[in-house]
């Protein structure tokens, strides 16, 4: 059977394998938690499957009522990106507050008193 | 001279050459002055100390809102009965502090907001006047309070108000958060005419946008 393999498919599978190996490596180094590592590994695996067997994306897309597999992938990616962005923004905001709390604690730990203030307090 | 349980809090960023003058003039009215040096790289701290203020120093710049909250925390720990927010750059007149704080001291208000439109302005650039009118509207939308001067830093708070209001907006958006908190907590407030003298522009249009973004981000992620 003559199987025509697109360059893109090859690249997707190769990249997916590479990405999974990086995830495994980072998880082993302790840079990625087990949970996060698993999630990313599944995502990259899904990318690899989509690359090797593009029919799967069409099947999935039709289940959602969308014509093309690649369209579904784009829509899902956009939703995922928005969610990730929201999480990052919330995290940044939390960190901003934490930094201010630290800066404040340092400032209050060492008030510089003028001679006037020392007189008033004593 | 105001009693020793009234604290004037002055946030300052690189105000060497101005802060000494400001502290000295405030000193005529009040002995408890807290300058919060918000990460200045000049001699702000030393100058403020020489002039007779207590200086709290933020090692990193956090913003005017954050500085005021730091100063307030200190004042409350020192037993403050009332606090006054005052600008470092000489835009406000120290002589107006006693009048400003009067209704807080006699217990008729928990928060007093200064208004340059009820009072007077000296050298207000025309574009700034329009910007302030627009920000008044934006402020009213975010706070539910209609103030005649949306972003006026001359504010007096009773101890009760200062204890209950926690400013989490570090930068200029605190000017919107504060009245919003007053409204939310159901505190008694009033507006007081004040004089504002201009030598520098202050918040321009980009500054205004930054404030708006801070307020929107706050709504989105918290």
């Amino acid at each position: 059977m003559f199987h025509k393999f697109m360059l893109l498919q090859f690249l997707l599978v190769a990249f997916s394998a590479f990405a999974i190996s990086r995830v495994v490596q980072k998880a082993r180094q302790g840079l990625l938690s087990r949970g996060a590592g698993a999630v990313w590994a599944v995502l990259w695996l899904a990318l690899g499957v989509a690359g090797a067997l593009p029919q799967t994306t069409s099947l999935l897309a039709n289940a959602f009522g969308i014509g093309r597999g690649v369209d579904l992938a784009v829509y899902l990616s956009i939703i995922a990106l928005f969610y990730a962005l929201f999480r990052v923004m919330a995290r940044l905001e939390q960190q901003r507050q934490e930094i201010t709390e630290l800066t404040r604690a340092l400032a209050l730990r060492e008030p510089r008193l003028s001679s006037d203030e020392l007189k008033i307090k004593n | 001279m105001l009693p020793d349980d009234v604290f004037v809090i002055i946030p300052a960023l690189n105000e060497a050459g101005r802060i000494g003058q400001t502290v000295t003039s405030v000193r005529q009215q009040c002995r408890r002055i807290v300058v919060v040096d918000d990460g200045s790289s000049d001699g702000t701290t030393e100058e403020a100390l020489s002039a007779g203020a207590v200086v709290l120093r933020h090692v990193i710049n956090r913003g005017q809102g954050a500085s005021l909250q730091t100063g307030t925390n200190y004042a409350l720990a020192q037993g403050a009965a009332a606090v006054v927010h005052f600008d470092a750059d000489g835009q406000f007149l120290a002589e107006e502090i006693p009048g400003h704080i009067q209704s807080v001291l006699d217990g008729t208000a928990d928060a007093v907001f200064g208004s340059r439109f009820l009072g007077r302005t000296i050298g207000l650039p025309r574009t700034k006047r329009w910007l302030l009118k627009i920000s008044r509207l934006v402020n009213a939308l975010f706070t539910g309070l209609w103030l005649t001067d949306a972003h006026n830093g001359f504010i007096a708070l009773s101890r009760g108000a200062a204890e209950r209001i926690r400013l989490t907006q570090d930068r200029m958006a605190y000017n919107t958060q504060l009245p919003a908190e007053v409204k939310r907590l159901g505190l008694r407030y009033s507006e007081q005419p004040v004089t504002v003298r201009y030598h520098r522009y202050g918040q321009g249009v980009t500054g205004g946008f930054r404030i708006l973004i801070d307020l929107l981000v706050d709504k989105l992620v918290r």
Side-chain angles (χ1 to χ4, degrees):
Chain A
M1 197 153 77
F2 178 76
H3 196 114
K4 194 173 174 190
F5 229 97
M6 278 168 56
L7 179 62
L8 178 62
Q9 286 178 268
F10 173 75
L11 286 171
L12 283 174
V13 174
F15 180 74
S16 157
F18 167 74
I20 292 178
S21 73
R22 301 292 275 131
V23 167
V24 169
Q25 181 189 40
K26 294 236 180 276
R28 285 230 186 94
Q29 287 175 338
L31 291 168
L32 261 184
S33 71
R34 294 257 291 269
V39 169
W40 281 108
V42 166
L43 275 172
W44 296 127
L45 189 63
L47 183 72
V49 166
L53 306 166
Q55 316 89 288
T56 52
T57 60
S58 298
L59 277 168
L60 202 54
N62 290 335
F64 279 90
I66 303 168
R68 299 192 307 168
V70 66
D71 285 352
L72 175 65
V74 170
Y75 298 152
L76 289 178
S77 299
I78 291 176
I79 293 172
L81 281 170
F82 269 121
Y83 180 68
L85 181 63
F86 164 72
R87 291 293 300 268
V88 168
M89 280 173 65
R91 199 70 181 87
L92 271 176
E93 176 64 16
Q94 191 190 345
Q95 284 189 340
R96 179 190 62 75
Q97 278 194 259
E98 287 170 352
I99 291 173
T100 295
E101 287 299 326
L102 273 175
T103 310
R104 178 167 299 146
L106 280 172
L108 291 171
R109 198 176 276 205
E110 293 184 7
R112 326 264 174 116
L113 302 180
S114 65
S115 49
D116 278 358
E117 181 75 5
L118 286 165
K119 273 187 235 147
I120 297 175
K121 285 164 71 99
N122 301 328
Chain B
M1 184 64 76
L2 289 166
D4 278 348
D5 55 4
V6 173
F7 283 72
V8 176
I9 302 171
I10 307 178
L13 175 61
N14 293 326
E15 298 283 357
R18 281 177 294 274
I19 189 69
Q21 169 86 349
T22 302
V23 171
T24 302
S25 67
V26 171
R27 199 65 189 62
Q28 309 299 311
Q29 311 297 332
C30 176
R31 295 207 298 166
R32 309 306 290 277
I33 305 172
V34 182
V35 168
V36 185
D37 179 350
D38 196 15
S40 302
S41 49
D42 63 7
T44 296
T45 289
E46 292 71 29
E47 194 175 311
L49 273 174
S50 306
V54 170
V55 177
L56 303 173
R57 184 165 161 81
H58 280 172
V59 289
I60 321 172
N61 173 260
R62 301 312 294 162
Q64 188 160 330
S67 304
L68 285 166
Q69 186 62 56
T70 298
T72 300
N73 287 13
Y74 176 83
L76 289 173
Q78 298 295 312
V83 300
V84 181
H85 297 177
F86 197 82
D87 274 8
D89 57 8
Q91 284 202 344
F92 301 146
L93 300 180
E95 309 87 77
E96 293 183 352
I97 294 177
H100 199 73
I101 203 164
Q102 193 47 51
S103 39
V104 166
L105 289 180
D106 60 31
T108 55
D110 302 304
V112 178
F113 296 102
S115 170
R116 80 199 81 193
F117 296 120
L118 291 177
R120 91 200 141 112
T121 62
I122 301 171
L124 173 60
R126 255 216 280 140
T127 42
K128 177 81 174 179
R129 184 180 292 271
W130 279 109
L131 201 59
L132 283 167
K133 302 228 157 153
I134 294 171
S135 55
R136 206 161 70 174
L137 190 58
V138 173
N139 235 51
L141 282 169
F142 274 94
T143 66
L145 280 185
W146 186 257
L147 296 173
T148 58
D149 190 348
H151 271 207
N152 189 298
F154 202 161
I155 297 173
L157 295 173
S158 67
R159 182 183 182 89
E163 279 172 337
R164 294 166 71 190
I165 295 171
R166 281 223 69 228
L167 292 175
T168 53
Q169 284 288 356
D170 287 350
R171 304 218 159 263
M172 291 308 289
Y174 85 91
N175 254 313
T176 302
Q177 187 182 31
L178 217 162
E181 285 290 278
V182 166
K183 170 106 203 272
R184 185 181 70 85
L185 295 164
L187 300 171
R188 299 161 306 163
Y189 68 97
S190 67
E191 287 195 279
Q192 178 78 13
V194 295
T195 304
V196 179
R197 280 190 297 208
Y198 282 80
H199 14 253
R200 287 187 311 184
Y201 193 83
Q203 295 298 303
V205 179
T206 36
F209 268 116
R210 213 168 286 146
I211 293 170
L212 194 54
I213 291 185
D214 280 348
L215 293 170
L216 289 171
V217 167
D218 188 68
K219 292 258 175 262
L220 276 175
V221 299
R222 290 205 297 128

